[in-house]
Amino acid sequence: MTQAVSQPQVKRQAQGVAARRVREGSPWTGMWAVVAKEMADHLSSVRMAILEALIVLTAIGTMYVATQDIQQRISRDEFLYLRLFTNARDPLPAFIGLLAFFIPLVAIALGFDSVNGEFNRRTMPRILAQPIYRDALLLGKFLAGLFTLALVCTAVWLLIFGMGVLRLGVAPGGEEVGRALLFLLATIFFGGIWLALAMVFSILFRQPATAALASIAAWLFFIVFWGMIAGLLAQALSPIRFGFAEEYIAQANLQLALGRFSPNTLYAETMVALLRPEIRSLGILMPSQMEGAILGAPLPLSESLVLIWPQLTGLIAGTIVLFALAYVLFQRQEIRP
Amino acid sequence: MSAPIIQTHELTKKYGNFTAVDRLNLSVHAGEVFGLLGPNGAGKTTTILMLLGLTEPTSGSVHVLGLDPSRQPLKVKSRVGYMPDQVGFYDELTAYENLAYIARLNSIAGDQIKKRIDEALARVGLEQVARKRVGTFSRGMRQRLGVAEVLIKQPQLIIMDEPTSGLDPEASHELLDMIRSLKEEGITLLLSSHLLHQVQAVCDRVGLFSHGKMVLEGAVDELAQQVLGGAYRIQISADGAQSEILKALKNVPGLAHIRAVNSRLYEMEAARDLRPEAAQAVLSAGGRLYKLDVQAQSLDDIYTAYFKEVEHDASRVPTAS
């Protein structure tokens, strides 16, 4: 078992490999080992336990209020279960409102120290000295985060349905379940965007605290400021000069389009269209478009899906683009401390 | 002679304008313990990272076990164990869990994992604390865990970056013993260090690094010969007329240098062991001999002498600005 390779053989081998300029071996070797380890870390960490407890409490609280409301109204609503997600009563906002608030926080908590944490613990050189590519490490970490997020969301989703069955005593309909499942998918990818963003920052900044602050700053920016900025930009770019209706419509449309650069807007629109079947447009609705429509009549699921298709694909695309950015940054990073 | 385990040819790494490694030609043969020596920032770690394919060379070529680390990194990394400088572990996991993760990353079969980990931990004497969290480990225990991690993949070559830095004398002694026993198993080792006497104790050959270049290479004795001229330093403690004794000692054939340290102590340098001749010379000069001692040349001396020489040369050259 000697490694006795004759010199010319080494040269030939080297030339052959160099000529192909191809790295040998699958880039995904060892990825599932990374996923398993990272998921175990996430699920046993105190940080996640706190966030999970918060979400579950929120779910139970809002659910309790919503079921009370629904029982009192005894409405013959077709979509009782969807109302569970969207019903709001002061002082408690609707469950989806709180979810849109919490999901980015959970995602950021899962990702902000994923790469710089390894450097700070000095484990990065040791892990990369194992027979795996960097691709496997980064994708493994991302998938572990996404799976953890999916696990949390699905658990809450099932909790809501379970409580619904107990409190309402009605079985959910097929279309309701379909809508709620798509909503679950959108929620996971909405989290995916923030997870990928947090990972980008964890590669850019060596301090986990800096990465966490940068992620939260981005999140606050989109929640608080982007709406205002979109409005100002729309006024500047498409001003109303003569007061024509077309000008108002153009400005409003521009503002809507700009607003959709925020993942929060995309997610909010997806949620509304999926969970409130009576919503027929996410933009401006012209009286001409309403001709023949029965007010308050629900759209079939396929129509609602057509309505939010761009938003849904936008959420998935955003996740992929941000992950690709993290990937490029990580591949170029020197591992020297 | 079999092909070298490590061979680099004109290996160069630049970070911007800074040349970390400059045209390095290094070869390490099977079964050898090779020491990379040099001050911090001399390019030792960069060289090691290039050997593992963790950093791309700017130019030149590397072959490790006959493989190209930048094109076949997985093959290289599954055969080469690497223990980085200040090895880090996941503090919240146990020693066993940390090693199990590494075993899985190495695609070791599930039924083999426990056996290999138990063996490796027993080998470094950590079997009692296998289920303890690494956060509670001392520096020396972490370093031993690092060795255990390297052993899990049953490597043909082990590279250790500053293995003994920051360890107390007992822990570094243990580590050096471990290195010797690995060598006896026929594993090739490459160590980097700035702690010279420790490297000297285990290395067959050493390479002296300075500013990215390997300025000296060879066995410690050879280097002593090369840098210090005289390889033996003999200390003589004797009573008697100093001028007479000095005169007699100067006449000893093979002497390189002699000086009187104080009225009783003389120090001579020579290419071979001149103790019998020196004793005779002292007696013939009417002196009373109390002590005769030979010092093996230490790497410390070589190192200091070499860098003094380099500085001396540099100070003579007018600086061109």
Side-chain angles (χ1 to χ4, degrees):
Chain A
M1 278 301 286
T2 52
Q3 198 59 36
V5 186
S6 70
Q7 205 63 327
Q9 207 179 335
V10 171
K11 281 210 181 103
R12 238 180 292 131
Q13 217 174 330
Q15 279 164 358
V17 172
R20 275 185 281 132
R21 301 293 288 180
V22 173
R23 288 187 168 220
E24 282 185 10
S26 159
W28 313 122
T29 314
M31 189 190 77
W32 291 109
V34 177
V35 172
K37 190 256 168 197
E38 293 290 323
M39 262 193 93
D41 280 1
H42 287 324
L43 294 176
S44 58
S45 71
V46 180
R47 192 194 299 168
M48 278 309 293
I50 293 171
L51 286 167
E52 279 159 19
L54 264 177
I55 291 187
V56 168
L57 280 179
T58 315
I60 293 173
T62 50
M63 216 46 23
Y64 184 76
V65 174
T67 45
Q68 261 187 341
D69 264 8
I70 292 166
Q71 279 170 339
Q72 280 162 10
R73 274 196 264 133
I74 327 169
S75 64
R76 270 172 293 167
D77 201 322
E78 241 187 295
F79 299 103
L80 273 183
Y81 279 84
L82 298 186
R83 300 284 174 261
L84 285 179
F85 291 97
T86 53
N87 195 301
R89 193 179 68 178
D90 279 338
L92 222 52
F95 175 65
I96 49 169
L98 285 172
L99 203 61
F101 186 78
F102 277 130
I103 289 294
L105 276 187
V106 175
I108 289 169
L110 286 169
F112 76 90
D113 65 347
S114 61
V115 173
N116 49 21
E118 298 270 357
F119 278 107
N120 289 338
R121 279 179 292 191
R122 298 182 173 278
T123 44
M124 190 59 100
R126 207 168 53 83
I127 298 303
L128 289 181
Q130 307 309 323
I132 57 163
Y133 281 114
R134 291 181 183 206
D135 316 45
L137 186 67
L138 195 70
L139 188 65
K141 278 176 173 289
F142 177 72
L143 285 182
L146 203 63
F147 289 164
T148 309
L149 204 63
L151 200 69
V152 173
C153 293
T154 313
V156 171
W157 188 87
L158 287 171
L159 183 75
I160 289 172
F161 265 76
M163 278 178 59
V165 173
L166 278 179
R167 304 257 310 166
L168 300 175
V170 204
E175 182 161 331
E176 262 181 311
V177 174
R179 282 175 179 274
L181 271 176
L182 279 170
F183 161 69
L184 180 63
L185 184 76
T187 307
I188 291 166
F189 277 97
F190 174 57
I193 286 189
W194 293 104
L195 176 66
L197 185 73
M199 284 180 79
V200 167
F201 286 133
S202 89
I203 295 166
L204 283 178
F205 303 116
R206 277 292 155 97
Q207 290 303 321
T210 317
L213 269 178
S215 313
I216 288 178
W219 171 65
L220 279 177
F221 172 77
F222 279 120
I223 270 197
V224 179
F225 297 109
W226 185 244
M228 297 179 218
I229 293 172
L232 290 174
L233 274 177
Q235 278 174 28
L237 295 173
S238 174
I240 292 162
R241 290 203 189 87
F242 310 106
F244 292 144
E246 286 83 354
E247 285 181 336
Y248 283 103
I249 294 170
Q251 193 183 69
N253 275 332
L254 183 63
Q255 187 174 349
L256 274 174
L258 285 172
R260 283 177 187 142
F261 278 102
S262 158
N264 294 331
T265 313
L266 292 183
Y267 181 59
E269 290 183 348
T270 311
M271 274 193 316
V272 165
L274 280 173
L275 298 179
R276 306 190 60 180
E278 63 274 16
I279 297 287
R280 25 189 74 234
S281 168
L282 296 167
I284 310 160
L285 209 53
M286 293 292 130
S288 59
Q289 289 171 298
M290 291 296 286
E291 263 183 30
I294 305 160
L295 267 179
L299 285 181
L301 174 55
S302 57
E303 293 296 318
S304 290
L305 198 56
V306 169
L307 193 62
I308 48 96
W309 193 251
Q311 277 82 353
L312 198 58
T313 48
L315 283 175
I316 297 173
T319 304
I320 294 172
V321 166
L322 279 171
F323 178 73
L325 178 65
Y327 182 86
V328 170
L329 289 171
F330 185 54
Q331 292 287 346
R332 291 175 175 213
Q333 196 164 42
E334 285 289 342
I335 75 154
R336 290 215 59 160
Chain B
M1 195 186 234
S2 63
I5 295 279
I6 297 175
Q7 179 137 48
T8 73
H9 180 69
E10 300 285 304
L11 186 63
T12 303
K13 176 70 185 182
K14 287 182 179 161
Y15 293 105
N17 285 326
F18 174 69
T19 308
V21 177
D22 193 5
R23 298 189 300 274
L24 174 70
N25 292 305
L26 173 73
S27 57
V28 177
H29 296 276
E32 241 185 341
V33 179
F34 190 91
L36 292 180
L37 297 178
N40 295 330
K44 292 170 294 175
T45 303
T46 310
T47 305
I48 289 173
L49 292 181
M50 283 192 284
L51 292 177
L52 288 160
L54 294 179
T55 292
E56 294 267 330
T58 309
S59 64
S61 71
V62 198
H63 283 101
V64 176
L65 302 165
L67 301 161
D68 178 354
S70 55
R71 298 289 153 227
Q72 298 155 292
L74 298 192
K75 280 187 184 163
V76 170
K77 290 193 281 187
S78 64
R79 291 166 175 77
V80 180
Y82 170 50
M83 196 167 99
D85 184 12
Q86 299 186 353
V87 56
F89 289 95
Y90 300 107
D91 284 350
E92 66 284 0
L93 299 183
T94 65
Y96 186 90
E97 285 165 347
N98 265 292
L99 296 191
Y101 182 38
I102 296 302
R104 287 196 198 96
L105 289 179
N106 277 283
S107 314
I108 292 170
D111 51 343
Q112 287 281 310
I113 290 180
K114 190 177 173 348
K115 195 174 136 262
R116 290 234 196 146
I117 293 176
D118 288 345
E119 274 172 16
L121 285 174
R123 182 81 195 269
V124 299
L126 289 177
E127 66 270 44
Q128 300 298 323
V129 289
R131 304 286 169 183
K132 285 229 169 80
R133 282 174 49 240
V134 177
T136 63
F137 281 23
S138 70
R139 188 77 201 266
M141 287 161 90
R142 281 164 190 267
Q143 213 74 0
R144 280 191 281 161
L145 188 58
V147 177
E149 185 227 289
V150 163
L151 291 176
I152 279 184
K153 57 169 107 170
Q154 301 176 337
Q156 290 165 281
L157 167 68
I158 296 178
I159 298 176
M160 294 184 179
D161 198 354
E162 302 279 359
T164 56
S165 80
L167 292 187
D168 60 56
E170 199 192 327
S172 37
H173 192 74
E174 280 172 0
L175 197 75
L176 292 177
D177 277 347
M178 243 174 257
I179 292 172
R180 275 191 210 101
S181 78
L182 291 173
K183 184 196 153 143
E184 275 160 26
E185 280 175 37
I187 298 173
T188 312
L189 281 117
L190 182 78
L191 311 178
S192 97
S193 187
H194 62 270
L195 299 169
L196 305 175
H197 59 280
Q198 294 180 344
V199 172
Q200 186 172 20
V202 293
C203 288
D204 300 317
R205 283 197 306 140
V206 296
L208 200 59
F209 266 65
S210 171
H211 301 292
K213 287 188 179 144
M214 192 157 69
V215 286
L216 283 173
E217 187 197 350
V220 176
D221 304 349
E222 289 170 28
L223 291 189
Q225 192 81 35
Q226 219 173 314
V227 177
L228 300 169
Y232 287 87
R233 183 172 292 169
I234 299 162
Q235 274 194 335
I236 303 152
S237 172
D239 269 351
Q242 187 154 48
S243 55
E244 290 291 309
I245 294 174
L246 267 178
K247 208 165 91 184
L249 285 173
K250 270 180 190 154
N251 288 332
V252 172
L255 180 82
H257 181 73
I258 173 99
R259 71 192 181 99
V261 181
N262 56 40
S263 62
R264 291 189 58 190
L265 194 65
Y266 306 87
E267 213 174 63
M268 59 194 277
E269 281 173 18
R272 56 195 179 85
D273 195 352
L274 288 180
R275 273 179 296 178
E277 288 85 347
Q280 223 156 23
V282 172
L283 293 179
S284 68
R288 285 154 60 84
L289 185 62
Y290 286 97
K291 200 180 91 181
L292 199 54
D293 204 7
V294 65
Q295 288 179 336
Q297 290 302 356
S298 80
L299 214 40
D300 277 297
D301 296 333
I302 300 172
Y303 196 74
T304 331
Y306 180 79
F307 283 105
K308 218 180 263 170
E309 223 170 80
V310 171
E311 265 170 45
H312 192 62
D313 286 350
S315 62
R316 264 187 307 191
V317 179
T319 45
S321 58

